[in-house]
Amino acid sequence: MARNRRITWGGGGGIGLALIGLPLVFIAVWPGVDHSPWDVNTMILAFGVAVSTLSYIAVRIAVAAATDDRVGPPTRRPWLVAGGALAISVLCLLIAFVS
């Protein structure tokens, strides 16, 4: 039952988080959308990247459960990239909140 739960919640949560995070990233980088203070644009981008990173992690868990852990990345690099993106986005959020 744990495998089915990982597939269902990982896939559903990942897709749901992606539907929240990706539009935020596009709004932050789209040239036609003007956010007056620079900090607001940075906060929107950082929050979008953080949510998209969490989405990637959730979907990766669901894929690992669906393939019964037979298919995996050759290295830990995807996890390091996702963790790095999450750390950078949290750092950007902290900088934007402080300034």
Side-chain angles (χ1 to χ4, degrees), residues 21-41:
L22 291 177
L24 291 174
V25 172
F26 288 135
I27 286 172
V29 298
W30 196 262
V33 178
D34 183 31
H35 306 289
S36 297
W38 180 82
D39 291 339
V40 172
N41 202 22

Side-chain angles (χ1 to χ4, degrees), residues 25-72:
V25 172
F26 288 135
I27 286 172
V29 298
W30 196 262
V33 178
D34 183 31
H35 306 289
S36 297
W38 180 82
D39 291 339
V40 172
N41 202 22
T42 303
M43 286 177 17
I44 291 172
L45 179 62
F47 187 68
V49 170
V51 172
S52 298
T53 303
L54 294 175
S55 167
Y56 170 78
I57 292 170
V59 169
R60 186 71 189 122
I61 290 169
V63 168
T67 58
D68 207 19
D69 293 322
R70 290 186 308 265
V71 177

